[in-house]
Amino acid sequence: AQRVTQPEKLLSVFKGAPVELKCNYSYSGSPELFWYVQYSRQRLQLLLRHISRESIKGFTADLNKGETSFHLKKPFAQEEDSAMYYCALGGGDKLIFGTGTRLQVFP
Amino acid sequence: EAGVTQFPSHSVIEKGQTVTLRCDPISGHDNLYWYRRVMGKEIKFLLHFVKESKQDESGMPNNRFLAERTGGTYSTLKVQPAELEDSGVYFCASSQVGSGRATDTQYFGPGTRLTVL
């Protein structure tokens, strides 16, 4: 079955601390993984995708096929990073989302 | 460039009533998707249009839900009759002409919050 698991509902850190939002997936075949973000009062938007291997707003994510993970990391969190983060798996034409992790960054 | 728009932003109805949600995709985007987030659960795929054709409607919960995209522009999602478990946030997304795969960047609308009492 195709599934995305985000074990943490809430992650709270202080500004400047490292952040790791966990994401594990279940998929037969070559997965396409994404991180979407929803800031307060804004719409859901793509943050990054594994095939791009890019860093957006200081965030990176590495696909680990052995551990079936796609954790999102940032070395130094900023207050403006506070948002809801969703890991998603590309299953054909559709996106399969995890339940999301709320990141709170305190000053 | 205007983004994906959805109307209404909120809808409160009573069980048994009918509600129609509308989505206007980004101009020129052939692919249109509907998703739903029920409280406390993940965002789930409902269906995918390519122009006016339903490409994949495997996520539609039951026959109380009817989606249309006449003319291949805007789309409507009608729930008739609405039940309590239909409450949630309904998202629409669109992507450009392409493979129609999830790798095509999907641009999301702000969502419609539906509350069924």
Side-chain angles (χ1 to χ4, degrees), chain A residues 9 27 32 34 36 38 42-46 49 51 84 86 89-99, chain B residues 3-5 33 35 37 40-43 45 48 55-56 58 91 100-106 108-110:
Chain A
K9 285 190 176 181
Y27 186 73
E32 298 166 302
F34 308 82
Y36 277 78
Q38 188 170 24
Q42 293 187 29
R43 59 191 64 195
L44 198 62
Q45 57 186 286
L46 178 65
R49 62 180 74 196
I51 58 173
M84 196 74 183
Y86 294 93
L89 171 68
D93 58 346
K94 65 176 78 67
L95 291 169
I96 300 162
F97 287 91
T99 49
Chain B
V4 177
T5 57
Y33 308 82
Y35 293 87
R37 184 178 64 212
K41 297 194 175 181
E42 69 272 26
I43 300 169
F45 168 83
H48 169 209
Q55 184 74 18
D56 179 356
S58 61
F91 294 100
R101 293 183 58 81
T103 45
D104 299 333
T105 299
Q106 295 185 22
F108 280 77

Side-chain angles (χ1 to χ4, degrees), chain B residues 22-71:
Chain B
R22 173 171 169 144
C23 168
D24 285 77
I26 293 173
S27 178
H29 282 195
D30 283 358
N31 297 291
L32 188 149
Y33 308 82
W34 284 97
Y35 293 87
R36 176 176 74 170
R37 184 178 64 212
V38 172
M39 179 79 75
K41 297 194 175 181
E42 69 272 26
I43 300 169
K44 278 195 171 180
F45 168 83
L46 297 178
L47 86 159
H48 169 209
F49 283 99
V50 177
K51 296 184 180 179
E52 67 275 8
S53 300
K54 291 176 186 175
Q55 184 74 18
D56 179 356
E57 52 183 330
S58 61
M60 294 288 264
N62 50 60
N63 58 10
R64 294 186 294 103
F65 288 75
L66 176 64
E68 294 181 324
R69 193 183 181 195
T70 306

